[in-house]
Amino acid sequence: MRAARLYDYDPEMNVELKIEDVPPPTINKPDEVVVKVGAAGLCRTDLHIIEGVWKDIMDVEGALLPYIMGHENAGWVEDVGSGVTSVKPGDAVICHPHRSCGICLNCRYGEDMHCEAGLFPGLGLDGGFADYFITNERALIKLNPNVTPLEVAPMADAGITAYRAAKRAAKLLRPGAYCVLVGIGGLGHIALQSLQAISGCRTIAVDREPAAQKLAKDLGADYVLDGGPDAAEQIMEITGGGAQVVMDFVGELGVENECWKMVRQGGQMFVIGYGGKIEVPTVHLVIQEINIGGSLVGNFTELVELMELNADGKVKMHYSEYKLGDINKAIDDFKNRRFAGRGVLVP
Ligand SMILES: [Zn+2]
Ligand SMILES: [Zn+2]
């Protein structure tokens, strides 16, 4: 099969993925499922993988290179292990990105991302930038009949990451409260729609890119700001003292240290994008009583909920389609923000 493999890390990102012919994955365990990839989302995490951000966490000394990236996968079941009962070849499915075990206590609490024995294909082991992809039965959600893999693939990770954060935010947001979303890319535009579907709050979208601002307006954000140096001041003015929740989908490039300044006393900042470093005077935390915390992907049931919102037309993924063979162009376009929404690779 064809696959795009990473051979080397480079903080400057001057490396290209190699498109190669490799053996397709084969079933080795009774709960495994081979999926014919219909589409795979391109994620900022993929850029961070290439930069080597994950090197020491997942891949000591590069021992696992080369591997196939791609962790936002949807497609059709191709082959199933002997113990698989809930899906059969031909079923259209979206793949939760974490192959969780189902046995450990965290799995039993429903927190798939906290699984003690989980695997994350596409990050340190083969993922979905290929014709075929292997995962386990527990990771699969059958698609609603009116939905195609191409329309939803990035929801496997970008989508639930945004949805989980929006769901946590919605619990803190009464009608009349403000939520700021910084970065209206692949995640931000899903969080915006999710908030509109599950919360009565007012939304303020912030992004420097005109295409992203337009997307936020088209999706019905109450306010759209261009993210200039006075963004925090503008938000103080609009909200009369700060937003109850600020969601940072960027998490680097200095944005992370603008976001906490936008939070109202007693409010919450969710860190979803990453790569930078937050520095907050402790006295500010005390006087303002703000909370700052991360949000990691999402669990299986959150992906089920998001698929229902999608099937009902309430949360849609905006995407640009690329052929798998053009993956290096897709990565370059992504780095330079030449498309709004999400880039999606199609084998
Ligand atoms: Zn991702
Ligand atoms: Zn587990």
Side-chain angles (χ1 to χ4, degrees), residues 207-231:
D207 202 296
R208 287 186 187 160
E209 287 297 320
Q213 292 162 17
K214 182 178 182 308
L215 179 57
K217 277 182 199 145
D218 292 347
L219 293 172
D222 295 303
Y223 300 84
V224 179
L225 307 182
D226 65 7
D230 60 343

Side-chain angles (χ1 to χ4, degrees), residues 79-122:
D79 195 11
V80 297
S82 57
V84 173
T85 57
S86 63
V87 292
K88 60 181 189 313
D91 286 346
V93 290
I94 186 164
C95 312
H96 187 281
H98 210 206
R99 275 181 65 161
S100 59
C101 76
I103 302 296
C104 76
L105 192 56
N106 289 336
C107 275
R108 289 167 194 264
Y109 285 140
E111 290 298 349
D112 302 87
M113 286 308 300
H114 300 171
C115 173
E116 290 160 20
L119 297 170
F120 203 95

Side-chain angles (χ1 to χ4, degrees), residues 297-315:
V297 192
N299 58 37
F300 182 88
T301 51
E302 285 160 345
L303 187 53
V304 171
E305 290 167 15
L306 182 60
M307 287 298 101
E308 297 300 335
L309 287 170
N310 174 261
D312 291 346
K314 290 174 179 150
V315 181

Side-chain angles (χ1 to χ4, degrees), residues 26-319:
T26 50
I27 305 265
N28 288 312
K29 292 179 186 159
D31 71 334
E32 285 184 330
V33 177
V34 173
V35 174
K36 182 179 183 352
V37 178
L42 182 61
C43 181
R44 192 151 291 273
T45 287
D46 293 316
L47 303 189
H48 290 321
I49 291 170
I50 298 171
E51 288 167 348
V53 170
W54 288 87
K55 187 176 168 201
D56 296 329
I57 305 169
M58 300 298 288
D59 185 358
V60 178
E61 298 297 315
L64 300 174
L65 290 174
Y67 67 85
I68 306 167
M69 292 183 357
H71 57 269
E72 306 189 337
N73 306 307
W76 299 271
V77 172
E78 176 75 13
D79 195 11
V80 297
S82 57
V84 173
T85 57
S86 63
V87 292
K88 60 181 189 313
D91 286 346
V93 290
I94 186 164
C95 312
H96 187 281
H98 210 206
R99 275 181 65 161
S100 59
C101 76
I103 302 296
C104 76
L105 192 56
N106 289 336
C107 275
R108 289 167 194 264
Y109 285 140
E111 290 298 349
D112 302 87
M113 286 308 300
H114 300 171
C115 173
E116 290 160 20
L119 297 170
F120 203 95
L123 210 176
L125 69 159
D126 285 342
F129 291 154
D131 291 321
Y132 296 95
F133 163 73
I134 191 164
T135 185
N136 63 357
E137 182 181 17
R138 261 181 72 78
L140 299 180
I141 296 168
K142 276 201 250 184
L143 297 183
N144 281 289
N146 58 336
V147 176
T148 66
L150 176 61
E151 293 168 304
V152 294
M155 288 198 172
D157 176 58
I160 42 167
T161 302
Y163 177 70
R164 177 184 179 86
K167 194 174 169 182
R168 291 174 66 189
K171 290 186 182 140
L172 307 170
L173 292 161
R174 296 183 175 97
Y178 292 88
C179 184
V180 175
L181 300 97
V182 180
I184 306 299
L187 279 76
H189 86 289
I190 295 295
L192 176 59
Q193 297 172 73
S194 299
L195 278 172
Q196 288 165 336
I198 63 177
S199 157
C201 73
R202 297 173 184 142
T203 52
I204 305 174
V206 183
D207 202 296
R208 287 186 187 160
E209 287 297 320
Q213 292 162 17
K214 182 178 182 308
L215 179 57
K217 277 182 199 145
D218 292 347
L219 293 172
D222 295 303
Y223 300 84
V224 179
L225 307 182
D226 65 7
D230 60 343
E233 270 171 55
Q234 284 177 282
I235 283 159
M236 283 296 148
E237 203 161 298
I238 293 168
T239 57
Q244 281 79 1
V245 174
V246 174
M247 304 169 93
D248 179 8
F249 294 101
V250 182
E252 58 181 343
L253 309 169
V255 172
E256 68 276 28
N257 284 312
E258 289 303 311
C259 285
W260 56 261
K261 297 172 189 160
M262 304 170 181
V263 182
R264 194 185 204 86
Q265 192 172 37
Q268 167 88 36
M269 169 176 166
F270 288 109
V271 181
I272 303 128
Y274 61 90
K277 195 176 206 173
I278 296 177
E279 288 186 33
V280 193
T282 46
V283 67
H284 185 84
L285 293 174
V286 171
I287 293 172
Q288 290 298 108
E289 281 201 327
I290 63 172
N291 296 302
I292 299 174
S295 192
L296 175 67
V297 192
N299 58 37
F300 182 88
T301 51
E302 285 160 345
L303 187 53
V304 171
E305 290 167 15
L306 182 60
M307 287 298 101
E308 297 300 335
L309 287 170
N310 174 261
D312 291 346
K314 290 174 179 150
V315 181
K316 295 279 189 191
M317 177 68 66
H318 291 250
Y319 61 88

